[in-house]
Amino acid sequence: MRKLLVVLFIFLLVGCTAVRMDVKSVDNIINVVLSKENDLYNRIGKGYKYYIPRGVTYIDTFDLNEKLYSQGYNYFIYIDAVAYYHQTEFDYQENPEAYYSRAIDINGKQGYLEINEIDGLYFIEYLYNYAKIEAMVYYEDINLTVLNISYILSTVKFNNNVIRLLLEDDYFATIEETYDVFAPKGESGNFLKVEYE
């Protein structure tokens, strides 16, 4: 009993503050979440790290791209490390034909959010701080998805040394190889041949 009273007294003495955010407005979600500097992270990739909020699950990685999952929807993250390294600026023109379109410039980081209706679903394309997330959701899940994506994009941090090493090692360069499907292979045999390498 005494311990309980001590804990309650400490709780009252210290106090706590809860901030309620209006999640009914996409503009408000963007302004509130992106305006706060956040150093949280729980995912580390090649040259970057970011925070995945509760309710969002990591699925897979493809080079600098990752796939996340939340409440029946896939989120696809594209990290543009080359544009970040060269500090490339871009110009987004707001689309009056879109369901929602906004250029973003908060805390010196640029981006945009565009939402378009496609066959009863809403395609969310959200770029901020050289990271882009795309998702396809139903209308009633737009605000929650924008909230999750805003939290993720607001926490993307780059590691300059790793990105420099990746670029110097030509990590992003592709190797082209010419392959002629119609050229003779020089051997005869069965019509179907399976090779295990």
Side-chain angles (χ1 to χ4, degrees):
M1 181 69 172
R2 191 172 207 196
K3 289 181 183 180
L4 180 62
L5 290 174
V6 171
V7 171
L8 287 175
F9 179 72
I10 291 173
F11 181 73
L12 291 173
L13 186 64
V14 174
C16 62
T17 304
V19 177
R20 178 145 167 73
M21 180 173 56
D22 175 20
V23 293
K24 294 182 180 178
S25 164
V26 171
D27 283 326
N28 190 52
I29 292 170
I30 293 169
N31 293 336
V32 171
V33 175
L34 297 184
S35 66
K36 297 182 189 257
E37 287 293 324
N38 197 335
D39 291 330
L40 291 174
Y41 67 92
N42 55 13
R43 276 291 307 141
I44 298 176
K46 294 177 183 173
Y48 63 93
K49 62 185 177 182
Y50 64 93
Y51 177 74
I52 299 174
R54 185 178 301 141
V56 180
T57 306
Y58 166 80
I59 300 294
D60 203 1
T61 299
F62 313 97
D63 291 326
L64 293 176
N65 306 320
E66 296 192 357
K67 181 178 178 181
L68 304 176
Y69 176 84
S70 176
Q71 297 185 352
Y73 303 114
N74 291 318
Y75 300 174
F76 297 94
I77 301 180
Y78 309 100
I79 303 294
D80 194 351
V82 175
Y84 168 78
Y85 184 75
H86 296 291
Q87 292 298 297
T88 305
E89 291 187 19
F90 66 95
D91 183 33
Y92 174 74
Q93 300 297 322
E94 292 185 1
N95 180 2
E97 304 291 319
Y99 170 78
Y100 181 90
S101 177
R102 176 181 170 184
I104 300 170
D105 190 354
I106 299 175
N107 289 334
K109 299 172 185 172
Q110 298 175 332
Y112 67 89
L113 171 59
E114 186 169 313
I115 303 172
N116 290 294
E117 183 183 2
I118 302 173
D119 298 327
L121 291 172
Y122 289 81
F123 177 65
I124 298 173
E125 185 178 10
Y126 196 158
L127 180 132
Y128 182 73
N129 187 28
Y130 301 103
K132 180 179 182 181
I133 299 181
E134 295 177 349
M136 193 81 114
V137 302
Y138 286 108
Y139 175 79
E140 58 271 9
D141 296 319
I142 290 174
N143 290 359
L144 178 60
T145 303
V146 169
L147 179 65
N148 285 337
I149 293 173
S150 295
Y151 276 120
I152 294 168
L153 294 179
S154 71
T155 62
V156 172
K157 301 281 187 281
F158 292 93
N159 184 325
N160 294 329
N161 295 330
V162 172
I163 291 173
R164 188 182 77 249
L165 287 173
L166 291 173
L167 291 173
E168 287 175 358
D169 288 342
D170 294 329
Y171 178 81
F172 298 104
T174 59
I175 300 172
E176 293 184 20
E177 182 178 326
T178 304
Y179 184 76
D180 188 357
V181 181
F182 300 105
K185 306 237 182 332
E187 63 182 39
S188 61
N190 296 339
F191 182 70
L192 294 175
K193 183 177 180 182
V194 179
E195 293 182 12
Y196 294 94
E197 295 184 48

